[in-house]
Amino acid sequence: QVQLQESGPGLVKPSETLSLTCTVSGGSINNYYWSWIRQPPGKGLEWIGYIYYSGSTNYNPSLKSRVTISVDTSKNQFSLKLSSVTAADTAVYYCARHPGVYLGGYFDYWGQGTLVTVSS
Amino acid sequence: DIQMTQSPSSLSASVGDRVTITCRASQSISSYLNWYQQKPGKAPKLLIYAASSLQSGVPSRFSGSGSGTDFTLTISSLQPEDFATYYCQQSYSTPTTFGQGTRLEIK
């Protein structure tokens, strides 16, 4: 059974960089797409971006200038960096797997989520 | 970006009821529509992909239909564990986008 686990600081100061890592267990990171999705408290879901195991990426244009997603296949991990954060970036951050894009663009496995609060 | 609009935003129903949630896309998305269930404090769970394909392990009382711009999620006989928030998601184009959610509450 594939499991995903997010890790990283739960508190980030304004203007700094949010950094999270997702560790995949129970399966290989190879041959899949891996996304970051966030959910502000009490609100809906926003896709941040994805990375293919080979390293190709696609980001939400609304966040593209501040987002970097990377992958480390040797550790079965992928990571998110979001720069210049503000209070509006406070959210539960999820990592998720998808078999492909378009028709395969559904998220079949999710991490439990980690709350990141932006505050001084 | 493709806008996804769900209706209703909230719904009260009883155990055993048949419930339908609607999702409308701002442009045609063929059958690239997925449904999720989210319970408080938990990650979303995939129910339906490609508009009508039931994800493995999901009870058969859940079904999806539609194509183009209009889609529905139907729960044939509500069970106590079904009270949750439901989201649709289009994967026709990037950025993938979600509906605002439909909160299903106990009457």
Side-chain angles (χ1 to χ4, degrees), chain B residues 10-89:
Chain B
S10 63
L11 173 61
S12 294
S14 301
V15 172
D17 283 353
R18 180 183 179 90
V19 167
T20 297
I21 298 169
T22 296
C23 180
R24 175 164 289 176
S26 60
Q27 67 180 74
S28 177
I29 57 170
S30 185
S31 296
Y32 295 13
L33 190 283
N34 313 302
W35 289 98
Y36 301 85
Q37 175 194 68
Q38 186 178 34
K39 296 182 178 178
K42 300 294 187 182
K45 172 188 174 184
L46 177 66
L47 299 175
I48 302 285
Y49 63 94
S52 59
S53 295
L54 191 68
Q55 173 67 353
S56 175
V58 174
S60 59
R61 62 181 179 273
F62 291 92
S63 64
S65 65
S67 66
T69 60
D70 295 317
F71 301 85
T72 58
L73 173 70
T74 299
I75 310 172
S76 60
S77 179
L78 271 175
Q79 298 302 299
E81 60 268 29
D82 299 337
F83 293 94
T85 299
Y86 293 83
Y87 292 94
C88 62
Q89 173 228 352

Side-chain angles (χ1 to χ4, degrees), chain A residues 37 39 43-47 50 58 60-61 94 101-103 105-108 110-112, chain B residues 1 31-32 34 36 38 42-44 46 49-50 55 87 89 91-96 98:
Chain A
I37 297 158
Q39 185 172 37
K43 296 188 177 181
L45 298 158
E46 180 182 31
W47 173 73
Y50 73 66
N58 191 313
N60 192 324
Y94 295 101
V101 292
Y102 309 120
L103 204 56
Y106 52 87
F107 304 106
D108 57 357
W110 296 66
Q112 64 185 23
Chain B
D1 298 3
S31 296
Y32 295 13
N34 313 302
Y36 301 85
Q38 186 178 34
K42 300 294 187 182
L46 177 66
Y49 63 94
Q55 173 67 353
Y87 292 94
Q89 173 228 352
S91 54
Y92 180 81
S93 68
T94 57
T96 184
F98 295 84

Side-chain angles (χ1 to χ4, degrees), chain A residues 50-66:
Chain A
Y50 73 66
I51 190 163
Y52 191 46
Y53 78 100
S54 62
S56 61
T57 56
N58 191 313
Y59 301 139
N60 192 324
S62 68
L63 297 167
K64 187 174 183 177
S65 63
R66 300 193 291 130

Side-chain angles (χ1 to χ4, degrees), chain A:
Chain A
Q1 177 77 345
V2 174
Q3 293 185 316
L4 288 75
Q5 178 69 58
E6 303 91 350
S7 59
L11 180 64
V12 181
K13 290 182 168 56
S15 80
E16 295 190 345
T17 296
L18 178 160
S19 297
L20 295 174
T21 294
C22 183
T23 301
V24 180
S25 59
S28 174
I29 203 166
N30 292 337
N31 301 311
Y32 286 96
Y33 292 80
W34 305 91
S35 274
W36 288 97
I37 297 158
R38 69 181 184 179
Q39 185 172 37
K43 296 188 177 181
L45 298 158
E46 180 182 31
W47 173 73
I48 299 169
Y50 73 66
I51 190 163
Y52 191 46
Y53 78 100
S54 62
S56 61
T57 56
N58 191 313
Y59 301 139
N60 192 324
S62 68
L63 297 167
K64 187 174 183 177
S65 63
R66 300 193 291 130
V67 172
T68 302
I69 299 176
S70 58
V71 66
D72 187 336
T73 55
S74 68
K75 294 182 178 179
N76 243 27
Q77 294 178 334
F78 63 106
S79 299
L80 168 70
K81 290 188 186 298
L82 181 66
S83 63
S84 305
V85 297
T86 69
D89 295 310
T90 293
V92 175
Y93 285 75
Y94 295 101
C95 55
R97 187 188 87 165
H98 43 122
V101 292
Y102 309 120
L103 204 56
Y106 52 87
F107 304 106
D108 57 357
Y109 287 95
W110 296 66
Q112 64 185 23
T114 187
L115 174 63
V116 179
T117 302
V118 178
S119 176
S120 55

